[in-house]
Amino acid sequence: SRFTGQDAINAVLLDRARAGLCVVRLKGGGSFVFGRGFEEVTHLQRAGVPVRVIPGLSSSISVPALAGIPVTHRGVVHEFTVISGHLPPGHPDSLVNWAAVARSKGTIVLMMAMQNAGAIAEALIEGGRCGDEPVAVIADGSLTSQRVVRATLRSLERTITSERLQPPAVVVVGEVVAL
């Protein structure tokens, strides 16, 4: 399975550390950006295990860069927002103000958003983003199987379905996609 629960990961980390082993937890993407890296650190610290964090590059920036897409570019956009899309707009547990995001002028980088991409695109358009705004879906970023598929905000859901795109993927919304 590609998924291991956080409690199980924490238990393995603690078990190996208590056994006197030097444990390295190598995580893909950005372990402190929608990852559970900080949860692992605090779990080990509460148990008295010394922890050293060596940060990596967040996939929210590195995956678009590997696909030839900058998240900002002089004269085009001076800001970007990274958003977890694991909950759809309107979900009672969502902490995202989609109307405010839609009003921004910057690039939007969506993580964990494949299942909710259509609802997110709809919320962004309702909030004022142009339906023809360019979008790139980068699936399997940095792997030999990496695919970059371009769409518009309006066609995003249809494109994900027709191209049979699957997570993990980073979705980039904004004019930088057209560069």
Side-chain angles (χ1 to χ4, degrees):
S1 167
R2 294 180 74 178
F3 177 80
T4 301
Q6 192 60 52
D7 290 342
I9 292 170
N10 288 349
V12 169
L13 292 172
L14 187 55
D15 178 63
R16 298 307 189 309
R18 285 184 171 158
L21 299 174
C22 180
V23 180
V24 174
R25 170 70 159 117
L26 185 61
K27 294 181 68 97
S31 60
F32 281 32
V33 178
F34 308 129
R36 294 192 173 134
F38 192 68
E39 292 176 35
E40 294 169 7
V41 167
T42 56
H43 177 76
L44 294 169
Q45 288 175 333
R46 281 192 304 267
V49 174
V51 176
R52 179 174 171 207
V53 175
I54 300 172
L57 295 173
S58 171
S59 57
S60 62
I61 299 169
S62 61
V63 166
L66 287 169
I69 301 169
V71 294
T72 64
H73 187 70
R74 188 186 340 219
V76 177
V77 64
H78 296 161
E79 66 187 23
F80 69 98
T81 304
V82 180
I83 299 174
S84 169
H86 79 284
L87 294 175
H91 190 284
D93 294 334
S94 177
L95 302 175
V96 178
N97 182 336
W98 290 104
V101 172
R103 287 191 305 272
S104 75
K105 302 284 186 209
T107 303
I108 302 168
V109 180
L110 301 168
M111 311 295 292
M112 302 175 291
M114 293 296 282
Q115 182 176 353
N116 298 313
I120 291 169
E122 186 177 306
L124 292 173
I125 293 168
E126 286 175 8
R129 297 294 279 235
C130 177
D132 292 328
E133 189 165 7
V135 177
V137 179
I138 309 152
D140 287 343
S142 81
L143 302 177
T144 57
S145 57
Q146 175 176 299
R147 288 182 62 202
V148 181
V149 176
R150 294 172 193 274
T152 64
L153 205 49
R154 185 179 298 109
S155 70
L156 179 58
E157 184 174 32
R158 217 172 32 252
T159 301
I160 288 171
T161 301
S162 68
E163 293 290 329
R164 295 186 172 108
L165 296 170
Q166 297 291 318
V170 175
V171 179
V172 182
V173 178
E175 294 305 317
V176 292
V177 172
L179 296 177

